[in-house]
Short mmCIF file of all heavy atoms in Angstrom, two decimals:
data_model
loop_
_atom_site.label_atom_id
_atom_site.label_comp_id
_atom_site.label_asym_id
_atom_site.label_seq_id
_atom_site.Cartn_x
_atom_site.Cartn_y
_atom_site.Cartn_z
N MET A 1 285.21 -49.55 1.59
CA MET A 1 283.95 -48.96 1.99
C MET A 1 284.05 -48.52 3.45
O MET A 1 284.61 -49.21 4.28
CB MET A 1 282.83 -49.98 1.79
CG MET A 1 281.46 -49.42 2.13
SD MET A 1 280.15 -50.61 1.82
CE MET A 1 279.60 -49.98 0.26
N GLY A 2 283.47 -47.36 3.79
CA GLY A 2 283.56 -46.82 5.14
C GLY A 2 282.64 -47.52 6.12
O GLY A 2 281.69 -48.19 5.74
N GLU A 3 282.94 -47.35 7.36
CA GLU A 3 282.15 -47.94 8.43
C GLU A 3 280.87 -47.14 8.63
O GLU A 3 280.86 -45.92 8.53
CB GLU A 3 282.98 -47.93 9.72
CG GLU A 3 282.29 -48.57 10.88
CD GLU A 3 283.17 -48.59 12.14
OE1 GLU A 3 284.34 -48.21 12.06
OE2 GLU A 3 282.63 -48.97 13.18
N SER A 4 279.78 -47.82 8.93
CA SER A 4 278.50 -47.15 9.18
C SER A 4 278.55 -46.43 10.51
O SER A 4 279.08 -46.93 11.50
CB SER A 4 277.38 -48.19 9.20
OG SER A 4 276.19 -47.61 9.69
N PHE A 5 277.98 -45.21 10.53
CA PHE A 5 277.91 -44.46 11.77
C PHE A 5 276.76 -44.94 12.65
O PHE A 5 276.73 -44.65 13.84
CB PHE A 5 277.74 -42.96 11.49
CG PHE A 5 278.97 -42.32 10.93
CD1 PHE A 5 279.00 -41.91 9.61
CD2 PHE A 5 280.09 -42.13 11.70
CE1 PHE A 5 280.14 -41.31 9.08
CE2 PHE A 5 281.23 -41.54 11.19
CZ PHE A 5 281.24 -41.14 9.86
N GLY A 6 275.81 -45.63 12.09
CA GLY A 6 274.66 -46.10 12.84
C GLY A 6 273.61 -45.00 12.98
O GLY A 6 273.72 -43.93 12.39
N THR A 7 272.62 -45.29 13.79
CA THR A 7 271.51 -44.34 13.97
C THR A 7 271.28 -44.03 15.44
O THR A 7 270.18 -43.68 15.84
CB THR A 7 270.22 -44.92 13.35
OG1 THR A 7 269.94 -46.18 13.96
CG2 THR A 7 270.35 -45.09 11.86
N THR A 8 272.31 -44.12 16.22
CA THR A 8 272.24 -43.88 17.65
C THR A 8 272.67 -42.45 17.97
O THR A 8 273.70 -41.99 17.48
CB THR A 8 273.17 -44.85 18.41
OG1 THR A 8 272.80 -46.19 18.08
CG2 THR A 8 273.08 -44.65 19.91
N PHE A 9 271.89 -41.78 18.80
CA PHE A 9 272.30 -40.46 19.30
C PHE A 9 273.19 -40.68 20.51
O PHE A 9 272.83 -41.39 21.44
CB PHE A 9 271.09 -39.62 19.70
CG PHE A 9 270.28 -39.14 18.54
CD1 PHE A 9 269.09 -39.74 18.21
CD2 PHE A 9 270.71 -38.07 17.77
CE1 PHE A 9 268.33 -39.30 17.14
CE2 PHE A 9 269.97 -37.61 16.70
CZ PHE A 9 268.78 -38.24 16.38
N THR A 10 274.37 -40.06 20.48
CA THR A 10 275.32 -40.18 21.58
C THR A 10 275.60 -38.78 22.13
O THR A 10 275.90 -37.86 21.37
CB THR A 10 276.63 -40.83 21.10
OG1 THR A 10 276.32 -42.10 20.52
CG2 THR A 10 277.60 -41.00 22.24
N VAL A 11 275.49 -38.63 23.44
CA VAL A 11 275.72 -37.35 24.09
C VAL A 11 277.14 -37.34 24.65
O VAL A 11 277.57 -38.30 25.30
CB VAL A 11 274.68 -37.09 25.21
CG1 VAL A 11 274.92 -35.74 25.86
CG2 VAL A 11 273.26 -37.18 24.65
N VAL A 12 277.86 -36.25 24.37
CA VAL A 12 279.26 -36.14 24.75
C VAL A 12 279.48 -34.84 25.52
O VAL A 12 279.01 -33.78 25.12
CB VAL A 12 280.16 -36.14 23.48
CG1 VAL A 12 281.63 -35.98 23.86
CG2 VAL A 12 279.94 -37.41 22.67
N GLU A 13 280.18 -34.94 26.65
CA GLU A 13 280.56 -33.77 27.42
C GLU A 13 281.98 -33.37 27.01
O GLU A 13 282.89 -34.19 27.03
CB GLU A 13 280.53 -34.08 28.91
CG GLU A 13 280.91 -32.89 29.78
CD GLU A 13 280.88 -33.24 31.25
OE1 GLU A 13 281.80 -33.98 31.68
OE2 GLU A 13 279.96 -32.81 31.93
N VAL A 14 282.13 -32.10 26.63
CA VAL A 14 283.43 -31.59 26.19
C VAL A 14 283.91 -30.55 27.19
O VAL A 14 283.15 -29.69 27.62
CB VAL A 14 283.31 -30.95 24.78
CG1 VAL A 14 284.61 -30.26 24.39
CG2 VAL A 14 282.93 -32.00 23.75
N THR A 15 285.17 -30.65 27.58
CA THR A 15 285.80 -29.64 28.42
C THR A 15 286.80 -28.90 27.54
O THR A 15 287.72 -29.51 26.99
CB THR A 15 286.52 -30.28 29.62
OG1 THR A 15 285.58 -31.08 30.34
CG2 THR A 15 287.11 -29.22 30.53
N ILE A 16 286.57 -27.59 27.40
CA ILE A 16 287.50 -26.80 26.61
C ILE A 16 288.63 -26.32 27.52
O ILE A 16 288.53 -26.41 28.75
CB ILE A 16 286.79 -25.64 25.87
CG1 ILE A 16 285.98 -24.77 26.81
CG2 ILE A 16 285.90 -26.20 24.79
CD1 ILE A 16 285.29 -23.60 26.10
N ASP A 17 289.70 -25.82 26.94
CA ASP A 17 290.92 -25.59 27.71
C ASP A 17 290.80 -24.53 28.80
O ASP A 17 291.65 -24.45 29.66
CB ASP A 17 292.12 -25.30 26.80
CG ASP A 17 291.89 -24.17 25.82
OD1 ASP A 17 290.82 -23.55 25.85
OD2 ASP A 17 292.79 -23.92 25.01
N ASP A 18 289.71 -23.74 28.81
CA ASP A 18 289.53 -22.79 29.91
C ASP A 18 288.71 -23.40 31.05
O ASP A 18 288.35 -22.73 32.00
CB ASP A 18 288.90 -21.48 29.43
CG ASP A 18 287.49 -21.65 28.90
OD1 ASP A 18 286.96 -22.78 28.93
OD2 ASP A 18 286.91 -20.65 28.45
N GLY A 19 288.42 -24.71 30.95
CA GLY A 19 287.70 -25.43 31.99
C GLY A 19 286.19 -25.42 31.84
O GLY A 19 285.49 -26.06 32.61
N LYS A 20 285.67 -24.70 30.86
CA LYS A 20 284.23 -24.66 30.65
C LYS A 20 283.76 -25.95 29.99
O LYS A 20 284.49 -26.56 29.22
CB LYS A 20 283.84 -23.46 29.80
CG LYS A 20 284.06 -22.14 30.50
CD LYS A 20 283.59 -20.99 29.65
CE LYS A 20 283.87 -19.68 30.38
NZ LYS A 20 283.57 -18.52 29.56
N MET A 21 282.51 -26.32 30.30
CA MET A 21 281.93 -27.54 29.76
C MET A 21 280.94 -27.22 28.65
O MET A 21 280.26 -26.19 28.69
CB MET A 21 281.18 -28.30 30.86
CG MET A 21 282.02 -28.64 32.04
SD MET A 21 283.01 -30.07 31.69
CE MET A 21 283.23 -30.68 33.32
N GLN A 22 280.90 -28.09 27.67
CA GLN A 22 279.93 -28.01 26.60
C GLN A 22 279.30 -29.40 26.43
O GLN A 22 279.95 -30.40 26.71
CB GLN A 22 280.59 -27.62 25.27
CG GLN A 22 281.28 -26.30 25.28
CD GLN A 22 282.04 -26.04 23.99
OE1 GLN A 22 282.35 -26.96 23.23
NE2 GLN A 22 282.35 -24.77 23.74
N ILE A 23 278.07 -29.42 25.95
CA ILE A 23 277.39 -30.68 25.67
C ILE A 23 277.19 -30.76 24.16
O ILE A 23 276.69 -29.82 23.54
CB ILE A 23 276.03 -30.78 26.40
CG1 ILE A 23 276.19 -30.57 27.90
CG2 ILE A 23 275.37 -32.12 26.08
CD1 ILE A 23 277.08 -31.58 28.60
N TRP A 24 277.60 -31.86 23.59
CA TRP A 24 277.49 -32.10 22.16
C TRP A 24 276.67 -33.36 21.92
O TRP A 24 276.65 -34.27 22.76
CB TRP A 24 278.86 -32.30 21.53
CG TRP A 24 279.70 -31.06 21.44
CD1 TRP A 24 280.27 -30.37 22.48
CD2 TRP A 24 280.06 -30.37 20.26
NE1 TRP A 24 280.97 -29.30 22.00
CE2 TRP A 24 280.86 -29.27 20.63
CE3 TRP A 24 279.81 -30.57 18.90
CZ2 TRP A 24 281.40 -28.38 19.71
CZ3 TRP A 24 280.35 -29.69 17.99
CH2 TRP A 24 281.13 -28.61 18.39
N LEU A 25 276.03 -33.42 20.76
CA LEU A 25 275.26 -34.57 20.34
C LEU A 25 275.84 -35.07 19.03
O LEU A 25 276.14 -34.27 18.13
CB LEU A 25 273.79 -34.18 20.15
CG LEU A 25 272.83 -35.28 19.76
CD1 LEU A 25 272.67 -36.27 20.91
CD2 LEU A 25 271.48 -34.70 19.36
N ALA A 26 276.03 -36.37 18.92
CA ALA A 26 276.52 -36.98 17.68
C ALA A 26 275.53 -38.06 17.25
O ALA A 26 275.04 -38.82 18.09
CB ALA A 26 277.90 -37.59 17.88
N LEU A 27 275.24 -38.09 15.97
CA LEU A 27 274.45 -39.20 15.44
C LEU A 27 275.46 -40.23 14.95
O LEU A 27 275.85 -40.27 13.79
CB LEU A 27 273.52 -38.75 14.32
CG LEU A 27 272.58 -39.82 13.77
CD1 LEU A 27 271.76 -40.46 14.88
CD2 LEU A 27 271.66 -39.24 12.71
N ALA A 28 275.93 -41.00 15.93
CA ALA A 28 276.99 -41.98 15.66
C ALA A 28 277.07 -42.95 16.83
O ALA A 28 276.63 -42.64 17.94
CB ALA A 28 278.33 -41.28 15.48
N LYS A 29 277.67 -44.06 16.55
CA LYS A 29 277.93 -45.04 17.61
C LYS A 29 278.83 -44.40 18.65
O LYS A 29 279.69 -43.57 18.32
CB LYS A 29 278.62 -46.26 17.02
CG LYS A 29 277.81 -47.00 15.99
CD LYS A 29 278.66 -48.07 15.33
CE LYS A 29 277.94 -48.66 14.14
NZ LYS A 29 278.79 -49.58 13.38
N PRO A 30 278.68 -44.78 19.92
CA PRO A 30 279.54 -44.21 20.96
C PRO A 30 281.03 -44.33 20.64
O PRO A 30 281.80 -43.42 20.92
CB PRO A 30 279.18 -45.01 22.21
CG PRO A 30 277.76 -45.41 21.97
CD PRO A 30 277.67 -45.68 20.48
N SER A 31 281.43 -45.43 20.02
CA SER A 31 282.85 -45.63 19.70
C SER A 31 283.36 -44.61 18.68
O SER A 31 284.56 -44.37 18.60
CB SER A 31 283.08 -47.05 19.17
OG SER A 31 282.33 -47.26 17.98
N GLN A 32 282.47 -43.99 17.92
CA GLN A 32 282.87 -43.01 16.92
C GLN A 32 282.57 -41.58 17.37
O GLN A 32 283.17 -40.63 16.88
CB GLN A 32 282.12 -43.27 15.61
CG GLN A 32 282.42 -44.61 15.01
CD GLN A 32 281.39 -44.99 13.97
OE1 GLN A 32 280.20 -44.78 14.15
NE2 GLN A 32 281.85 -45.55 12.87
N ALA A 33 281.62 -41.42 18.29
CA ALA A 33 281.15 -40.10 18.68
C ALA A 33 282.26 -39.22 19.25
O ALA A 33 282.34 -38.03 18.93
CB ALA A 33 280.00 -40.22 19.68
N LEU A 34 283.10 -39.77 20.10
CA LEU A 34 284.17 -38.97 20.70
C LEU A 34 285.09 -38.37 19.64
O LEU A 34 285.42 -37.19 19.68
CB LEU A 34 285.00 -39.81 21.68
CG LEU A 34 284.31 -40.17 22.99
CD1 LEU A 34 285.20 -41.10 23.81
CD2 LEU A 34 283.94 -38.95 23.78
N THR A 35 285.48 -39.17 18.68
CA THR A 35 286.37 -38.69 17.62
C THR A 35 285.70 -37.61 16.79
O THR A 35 286.30 -36.57 16.48
CB THR A 35 286.79 -39.86 16.71
OG1 THR A 35 287.46 -40.83 17.52
CG2 THR A 35 287.73 -39.39 15.61
N LEU A 36 284.43 -37.82 16.43
CA LEU A 36 283.71 -36.84 15.62
C LEU A 36 283.54 -35.52 16.36
O LEU A 36 283.74 -34.44 15.79
CB LEU A 36 282.34 -37.40 15.23
CG LEU A 36 282.35 -38.57 14.26
CD1 LEU A 36 280.97 -39.21 14.19
CD2 LEU A 36 282.81 -38.12 12.88
N VAL A 37 283.19 -35.59 17.64
CA VAL A 37 283.00 -34.37 18.42
C VAL A 37 284.32 -33.64 18.62
O VAL A 37 284.40 -32.42 18.45
CB VAL A 37 282.31 -34.68 19.77
CG1 VAL A 37 282.36 -33.49 20.70
CG2 VAL A 37 280.86 -35.10 19.53
N LEU A 38 285.38 -34.36 18.96
CA LEU A 38 286.67 -33.71 19.16
C LEU A 38 287.18 -33.05 17.88
O LEU A 38 287.85 -32.02 17.93
CB LEU A 38 287.69 -34.70 19.70
CG LEU A 38 287.55 -35.01 21.19
CD1 LEU A 38 288.49 -36.14 21.59
CD2 LEU A 38 287.79 -33.78 22.04
N ALA A 39 286.85 -33.61 16.73
CA ALA A 39 287.25 -33.00 15.47
C ALA A 39 286.52 -31.67 15.24
O ALA A 39 287.06 -30.78 14.59
CB ALA A 39 286.96 -33.96 14.31
N ALA A 40 285.33 -31.54 15.80
CA ALA A 40 284.53 -30.31 15.62
C ALA A 40 284.73 -29.30 16.74
O ALA A 40 284.50 -28.11 16.55
CB ALA A 40 283.05 -30.67 15.53
N ALA A 41 285.14 -29.76 17.91
CA ALA A 41 285.28 -28.89 19.08
C ALA A 41 286.58 -28.09 19.00
O ALA A 41 287.45 -28.34 18.17
CB ALA A 41 285.25 -29.72 20.36
N GLN A 42 286.67 -27.14 19.91
CA GLN A 42 287.86 -26.29 20.01
C GLN A 42 289.11 -27.14 20.24
O GLN A 42 289.09 -28.09 21.02
CB GLN A 42 287.66 -25.31 21.16
CG GLN A 42 288.78 -24.33 21.38
CD GLN A 42 288.46 -23.37 22.52
OE1 GLN A 42 287.32 -22.99 22.72
NE2 GLN A 42 289.49 -22.99 23.25
N GLU A 43 290.18 -26.77 19.57
CA GLU A 43 291.44 -27.50 19.73
C GLU A 43 291.87 -27.50 21.20
O GLU A 43 291.73 -26.50 21.90
CB GLU A 43 292.53 -26.85 18.88
CG GLU A 43 293.80 -27.65 18.81
CD GLU A 43 294.82 -27.07 17.84
OE1 GLU A 43 294.40 -26.42 16.87
OE2 GLU A 43 296.01 -27.28 18.08
N GLY A 44 292.36 -28.63 21.67
CA GLY A 44 292.80 -28.76 23.05
C GLY A 44 291.72 -29.24 23.98
O GLY A 44 291.95 -29.38 25.18
N SER A 45 290.53 -29.50 23.46
CA SER A 45 289.41 -29.97 24.29
C SER A 45 289.57 -31.45 24.61
O SER A 45 290.27 -32.19 23.92
CB SER A 45 288.09 -29.77 23.54
OG SER A 45 287.85 -28.41 23.28
N THR A 46 288.91 -31.85 25.67
CA THR A 46 288.80 -33.27 26.00
C THR A 46 287.33 -33.63 26.00
O THR A 46 286.46 -32.76 26.16
CB THR A 46 289.42 -33.59 27.38
OG1 THR A 46 288.74 -32.82 28.38
CG2 THR A 46 290.91 -33.26 27.41
N ALA A 47 287.03 -34.91 25.84
CA ALA A 47 285.63 -35.32 25.74
C ALA A 47 285.42 -36.66 26.41
O ALA A 47 286.34 -37.49 26.48
CB ALA A 47 285.21 -35.41 24.28
N GLU A 48 284.21 -36.84 26.93
CA GLU A 48 283.83 -38.14 27.47
C GLU A 48 282.34 -38.36 27.22
O GLU A 48 281.56 -37.41 27.12
CB GLU A 48 284.15 -38.25 28.96
CG GLU A 48 283.43 -37.29 29.86
CD GLU A 48 283.87 -37.45 31.30
OE1 GLU A 48 284.96 -36.99 31.64
OE2 GLU A 48 283.09 -38.04 32.08
N LEU A 49 281.98 -39.62 27.10
CA LEU A 49 280.59 -39.98 26.85
C LEU A 49 279.76 -39.71 28.10
O LEU A 49 280.24 -39.87 29.22
CB LEU A 49 280.47 -41.46 26.49
CG LEU A 49 281.19 -41.90 25.21
CD1 LEU A 49 281.07 -43.40 25.05
CD2 LEU A 49 280.65 -41.17 24.00
N MET A 50 278.52 -39.29 27.88
CA MET A 50 277.59 -39.07 28.98
C MET A 50 276.50 -40.14 28.92
O MET A 50 276.06 -40.52 27.83
CB MET A 50 276.93 -37.69 28.87
CG MET A 50 277.89 -36.54 29.06
SD MET A 50 277.03 -34.95 28.99
CE MET A 50 276.07 -35.03 30.49
N ASN A 51 276.09 -40.61 30.06
CA ASN A 51 274.99 -41.56 30.13
C ASN A 51 273.71 -40.78 30.38
O ASN A 51 273.40 -40.42 31.52
CB ASN A 51 275.24 -42.58 31.25
CG ASN A 51 274.18 -43.65 31.27
OD1 ASN A 51 273.41 -43.79 30.34
ND2 ASN A 51 274.15 -44.39 32.37
N VAL A 52 272.99 -40.46 29.30
CA VAL A 52 271.78 -39.66 29.39
C VAL A 52 270.58 -40.56 29.11
O VAL A 52 270.52 -41.17 28.03
CB VAL A 52 271.83 -38.50 28.36
CG1 VAL A 52 270.55 -37.71 28.38
CG2 VAL A 52 273.02 -37.60 28.65
N PRO A 53 269.65 -40.67 30.06
CA PRO A 53 268.48 -41.49 29.82
C PRO A 53 267.70 -41.01 28.59
O PRO A 53 267.54 -39.81 28.37
CB PRO A 53 267.63 -41.32 31.09
CG PRO A 53 268.59 -40.83 32.12
CD PRO A 53 269.63 -40.05 31.38
N ARG A 54 267.24 -41.94 27.78
CA ARG A 54 266.48 -41.62 26.58
C ARG A 54 265.00 -41.58 26.90
O ARG A 54 264.37 -42.60 27.09
CB ARG A 54 266.71 -42.66 25.48
CG ARG A 54 268.13 -42.73 24.99
CD ARG A 54 268.48 -41.48 24.18
NE ARG A 54 269.74 -41.62 23.52
CZ ARG A 54 270.89 -41.18 24.00
NH1 ARG A 54 270.94 -40.60 25.17
NH2 ARG A 54 272.00 -41.33 23.33
N THR A 55 264.47 -40.38 26.98
CA THR A 55 263.03 -40.22 27.17
C THR A 55 262.43 -39.90 25.79
O THR A 55 263.13 -39.44 24.89
CB THR A 55 262.73 -39.06 28.13
OG1 THR A 55 263.21 -37.84 27.54
CG2 THR A 55 263.38 -39.27 29.50
N PRO A 56 261.13 -40.12 25.62
CA PRO A 56 260.51 -39.76 24.34
C PRO A 56 260.70 -38.28 24.00
O PRO A 56 260.90 -37.93 22.83
CB PRO A 56 259.04 -40.11 24.55
CG PRO A 56 259.04 -41.18 25.60
CD PRO A 56 260.20 -40.83 26.50
N GLU A 57 260.67 -37.42 25.01
CA GLU A 57 260.84 -35.99 24.78
C GLU A 57 262.24 -35.67 24.26
O GLU A 57 262.40 -34.90 23.31
CB GLU A 57 260.57 -35.19 26.06
CG GLU A 57 259.14 -35.27 26.56
CD GLU A 57 258.83 -36.53 27.36
OE1 GLU A 57 259.76 -37.27 27.77
OE2 GLU A 57 257.64 -36.81 27.56
N ARG A 58 263.25 -36.26 24.88
CA ARG A 58 264.64 -36.04 24.42
C ARG A 58 264.84 -36.59 23.02
O ARG A 58 265.49 -35.96 22.19
CB ARG A 58 265.64 -36.69 25.38
CG ARG A 58 265.91 -35.87 26.58
CD ARG A 58 267.15 -36.35 27.32
NE ARG A 58 267.27 -35.61 28.54
CZ ARG A 58 267.26 -36.12 29.75
NH1 ARG A 58 267.16 -37.42 29.90
NH2 ARG A 58 267.36 -35.36 30.81
N GLN A 59 264.30 -37.78 22.78
CA GLN A 59 264.45 -38.39 21.47
C GLN A 59 263.86 -37.47 20.40
O GLN A 59 264.46 -37.28 19.35
CB GLN A 59 263.77 -39.76 21.44
CG GLN A 59 263.98 -40.52 20.15
CD GLN A 59 265.42 -40.96 19.94
OE1 GLN A 59 266.18 -41.17 20.88
NE2 GLN A 59 265.81 -41.11 18.70
N LYS A 60 262.72 -36.86 20.67
CA LYS A 60 262.09 -35.95 19.70
C LYS A 60 262.96 -34.72 19.48
O LYS A 60 263.14 -34.28 18.34
CB LYS A 60 260.70 -35.53 20.17
CG LYS A 60 260.09 -34.46 19.29
CD LYS A 60 258.64 -34.65 19.09
CE LYS A 60 257.97 -33.59 18.24
NZ LYS A 60 258.68 -33.04 17.14
N ILE A 61 263.52 -34.15 20.56
CA ILE A 61 264.41 -33.00 20.43
C ILE A 61 265.61 -33.36 19.55
O ILE A 61 265.99 -32.61 18.65
CB ILE A 61 264.89 -32.50 21.82
CG1 ILE A 61 263.71 -31.88 22.57
CG2 ILE A 61 266.03 -31.51 21.68
CD1 ILE A 61 263.99 -31.62 24.03
N PHE A 62 266.19 -34.52 19.79
CA PHE A 62 267.35 -34.97 19.01
C PHE A 62 266.96 -35.14 17.54
O PHE A 62 267.67 -34.69 16.64
CB PHE A 62 267.91 -36.28 19.55
CG PHE A 62 268.50 -36.19 20.94
CD1 PHE A 62 268.80 -37.34 21.64
CD2 PHE A 62 268.76 -34.97 21.56
CE1 PHE A 62 269.36 -37.29 22.90
CE2 PHE A 62 269.31 -34.91 22.84
CZ PHE A 62 269.61 -36.08 23.50
N GLU A 63 265.83 -35.79 17.29
CA GLU A 63 265.38 -36.03 15.92
C GLU A 63 265.07 -34.72 15.20
O GLU A 63 265.31 -34.61 13.99
CB GLU A 63 264.17 -36.96 15.92
CG GLU A 63 264.52 -38.38 16.30
CD GLU A 63 263.31 -39.28 16.50
OE1 GLU A 63 262.16 -38.81 16.35
OE2 GLU A 63 263.53 -40.47 16.80
N ASP A 64 264.54 -33.74 15.93
CA ASP A 64 264.19 -32.45 15.31
C ASP A 64 265.41 -31.68 14.82
O ASP A 64 265.28 -30.73 14.05
CB ASP A 64 263.38 -31.59 16.29
CG ASP A 64 261.95 -32.07 16.46
OD1 ASP A 64 261.50 -32.94 15.66
OD2 ASP A 64 261.28 -31.60 17.39
N LEU A 65 266.61 -32.07 15.25
CA LEU A 65 267.84 -31.42 14.77
C LEU A 65 268.18 -31.85 13.34
O LEU A 65 269.01 -31.23 12.69
CB LEU A 65 269.01 -31.74 15.70
CG LEU A 65 268.92 -31.14 17.10
CD1 LEU A 65 270.02 -31.70 17.99
CD2 LEU A 65 268.99 -29.62 17.03
N ASN A 66 267.53 -32.92 12.86
CA ASN A 66 267.74 -33.40 11.49
C ASN A 66 269.20 -33.70 11.17
O ASN A 66 269.70 -33.32 10.11
CB ASN A 66 267.15 -32.42 10.47
CG ASN A 66 265.65 -32.34 10.57
OD1 ASN A 66 264.98 -33.36 10.70
ND2 ASN A 66 265.12 -31.14 10.52
N LEU A 67 269.89 -34.34 12.10
CA LEU A 67 271.28 -34.70 11.86
C LEU A 67 271.36 -35.91 10.93
O LEU A 67 270.51 -36.81 10.99
CB LEU A 67 271.98 -35.06 13.18
CG LEU A 67 272.06 -33.96 14.24
CD1 LEU A 67 272.75 -34.50 15.49
CD2 LEU A 67 272.77 -32.73 13.72
N ALA A 68 272.36 -35.93 10.09
CA ALA A 68 272.65 -37.09 9.24
C ALA A 68 273.66 -37.96 9.99
O ALA A 68 274.41 -37.46 10.85
CB ALA A 68 273.22 -36.62 7.91
N PRO A 69 273.71 -39.24 9.69
CA PRO A 69 274.71 -40.09 10.34
C PRO A 69 276.12 -39.49 10.20
O PRO A 69 276.53 -39.07 9.13
CB PRO A 69 274.59 -41.42 9.59
CG PRO A 69 273.16 -41.45 9.17
CD PRO A 69 272.86 -40.02 8.79
N GLY A 70 276.81 -39.40 11.35
CA GLY A 70 278.16 -38.82 11.38
C GLY A 70 278.17 -37.33 11.71
O GLY A 70 279.23 -36.77 11.93
N ASP A 71 277.00 -36.70 11.78
CA ASP A 71 276.92 -35.27 12.13
C ASP A 71 277.04 -35.09 13.63
O ASP A 71 276.64 -35.95 14.42
CB ASP A 71 275.61 -34.66 11.69
CG ASP A 71 275.53 -34.36 10.21
OD1 ASP A 71 276.55 -34.49 9.51
OD2 ASP A 71 274.42 -34.01 9.75
N VAL A 72 277.54 -33.92 14.04
CA VAL A 72 277.59 -33.52 15.45
C VAL A 72 276.95 -32.15 15.57
O VAL A 72 276.90 -31.38 14.61
CB VAL A 72 279.03 -33.51 16.01
CG1 VAL A 72 279.65 -34.88 15.94
CG2 VAL A 72 279.89 -32.50 15.29
N HIS A 73 276.47 -31.85 16.79
CA HIS A 73 275.82 -30.58 17.05
C HIS A 73 276.07 -30.19 18.49
O HIS A 73 275.86 -31.00 19.40
CB HIS A 73 274.31 -30.70 16.79
CG HIS A 73 273.54 -29.45 17.06
ND1 HIS A 73 273.46 -28.42 16.15
CD2 HIS A 73 272.82 -29.08 18.14
CE1 HIS A 73 272.70 -27.46 16.67
NE2 HIS A 73 272.31 -27.83 17.87
N ARG A 74 276.51 -28.96 18.71
CA ARG A 74 276.68 -28.47 20.08
C ARG A 74 275.35 -28.00 20.59
O ARG A 74 274.66 -27.22 19.96
CB ARG A 74 277.69 -27.32 20.11
CG ARG A 74 278.05 -26.94 21.54
CD ARG A 74 279.14 -25.92 21.56
NE ARG A 74 278.64 -24.77 22.28
CZ ARG A 74 279.14 -23.56 22.21
NH1 ARG A 74 280.15 -23.31 21.42
NH2 ARG A 74 278.62 -22.58 22.91
N LEU A 75 274.96 -28.49 21.76
CA LEU A 75 273.70 -28.10 22.39
C LEU A 75 273.94 -26.88 23.26
O LEU A 75 274.85 -26.87 24.08
CB LEU A 75 273.13 -29.25 23.22
CG LEU A 75 272.86 -30.54 22.45
CD1 LEU A 75 272.47 -31.66 23.41
CD2 LEU A 75 271.78 -30.33 21.40
N ASP A 76 273.13 -25.86 23.07
CA ASP A 76 273.27 -24.63 23.87
C ASP A 76 272.18 -24.55 24.91
O ASP A 76 271.15 -25.09 24.82
CB ASP A 76 273.21 -23.40 22.96
CG ASP A 76 274.41 -23.32 22.04
OD1 ASP A 76 275.53 -23.59 22.49
OD2 ASP A 76 274.22 -22.99 20.87
#
């Protein structure tokens, strides 16, 4: 049986190979979020977790994306 992704929103900063930064959101535990985001991001990217304060407004924005556990989404 697979490991649970949990119900935590994790924010990840991705640097693509041209040096540009992207912000991604994963509905997964921090320990899994990096792997999930790197699998979806451009090949050759690097990623690190971001410490983003959870405000009610941000939580609502995240929830409105309707992500399922294990999903990732690039924030524009």
